């Protein structure tokens, strides 16, 4: 029954994914300023700039390219708009375009970027190492610090250590990641004081000349500050979540009974409490990983000059680069849905008492 439930969850992924893509497609159709308009504005701007340089800014008819009032200008603009619509595929009705897009997406064919001479898959693969590095190392750092710290705070609840660490965590949680990133650059990356860490990029210029272990050290050296800036807020929230989960379990009757039977604190904590308290911590793993991979790292990538998926998606939205927008959305949504199923499956591994299949009856 358990495996039947997860098979049904996996079967629902295509339906959910279709709904996400369809909803966003409708929203994009209603949004003003599509790629054709964006390109027309850019061409008008370059024409106006060129005419201004030729005419010397005298305001004569040479500057009329921006409003197409010169002879034949309107016809040229109509032809240009039709050419751009054909190039971007907007000369077809929306339903036909949506059907073609879904058909191609089933084959993981996301087309080419409107503004870069590359396929969407090539762009994603090119930016993937940066985002995967930031996401995985940030998530790993958050869990390695938060879980032991949260357990210690729960055991020493109300002590000076608990109060001091709570104050520090609250301050760190309130500080935006981009502000912390700027502070780290000023102090540790040559901004004003120390120059212990590089300011930009994922690797050094002499990467190819380094030894194997030298490459690993250089890679981690570049990642340290962006990963730290990206992780601090997550460390605070997960630490409090872990502490509250353990405090809730420690106050239950079975813990008092185990203590009355003479079991040691570590036996109670890690033999009984840990299994139950970790369920709520595991539940947040997929959303945390997705956030670290794709959404939370946009400003960090900009500040540290890291060309990753977050920056790619942000620029695609700004430029109305629809193939990149929908291609990244498709992959992010698919990965998020799969990770949610994996999270529920891990639930059953951590606590065999959980049977999701019973909900289907």
């Amino acid at each position: 029954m358990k495996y039947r439930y997860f098979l049904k969850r996996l079967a629902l992924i295509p339906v959910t994914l279709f709904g996400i893509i369809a909803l966003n497609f409708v929203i994009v159709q209603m949004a003003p300023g599509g790629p054709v308009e964006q390109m027309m504005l850019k061409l008008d701007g370059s024409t106006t700039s060129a005419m201004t340089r030729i005419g010397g800014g005298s305001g004569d008819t040479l500057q009329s390219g921006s409003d197409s009032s010169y002879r034949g200008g309107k016809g040229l603009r109509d032809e240009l708009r039709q050419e751009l619509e054909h190039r971007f595929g907007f000369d077809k009705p929306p339903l036909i375009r949506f059907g073609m897009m879904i058909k191609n997406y089933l084959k993981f064919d996301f087309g080419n970027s409107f503004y870069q001479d590359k396929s969407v898959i090539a762009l994603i693969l090119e930016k993937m190492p940066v985002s995967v590095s930031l996401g995985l190392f940030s998530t790993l750092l958050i869990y390695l610090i938060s879980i032991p710290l949260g357990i210690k705070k729960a055991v020493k609840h109300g002590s000076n250590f608990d109060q001091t660490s709570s104050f520090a965590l609250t301050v760190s949680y309130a500080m935006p990641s981009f502000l912390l990133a700027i502070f780290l650059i000023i102090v540790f990356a040559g901004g004003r004081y120390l120059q212990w860490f590089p300011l930009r990029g994922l690797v050094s210029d002499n990467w190819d000349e380094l030894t194997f272990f030298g490459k690993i050290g250089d890679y981690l050296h570049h990642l340290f500050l962006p990963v730290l800036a990206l992780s601090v807020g997550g460390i605070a929230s997960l630490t409090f979540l872990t502490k509250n989960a353990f405090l809730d379990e420690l106050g239950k009757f079975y813990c008092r009974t185990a203590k009355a039977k003479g079991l040691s604190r570590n036996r109670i904590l890690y033999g009984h409490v840990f299994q139950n308290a970790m369920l709520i911590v595991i539940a947040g793993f997929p959303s945390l990983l997705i956030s670290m991979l794709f959404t939370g790292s946009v400003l960090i990538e900009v500040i540290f000059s890291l060309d990753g998926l977050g920056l790619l998606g942000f620029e695609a939205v700004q430029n109305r680069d629809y193939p990149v927008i929908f291609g990244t959305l498709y992959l992010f949504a698919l990965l998020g849905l799969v990770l949610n199923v994996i999270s529920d499956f891990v639930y059953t591994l951590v606590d065999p008492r959980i049977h999701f299949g019973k909900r289907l009856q």
Side-chain angles (χ1 to χ4, degrees), residues 43-44 47-48 51 61-70 73 77:
L43 292 174
D44 283 347
T47 303
T48 301
M51 292 302 182
T61 56
L62 289 176
Q63 292 186 347
S64 61
S66 59
D67 60 5
S68 301
S69 60
Y70 65 93
R77 282 180 60 84

Side-chain angles (χ1 to χ4, degrees), residues 306-322:
L306 299 172
D307 194 8
L309 288 174
L311 185 59
L312 175 67
F314 177 73
E315 291 177 345
V317 172
Q318 277 191 318
N319 297 326
R320 306 296 196 273
D321 197 347
Y322 290 163

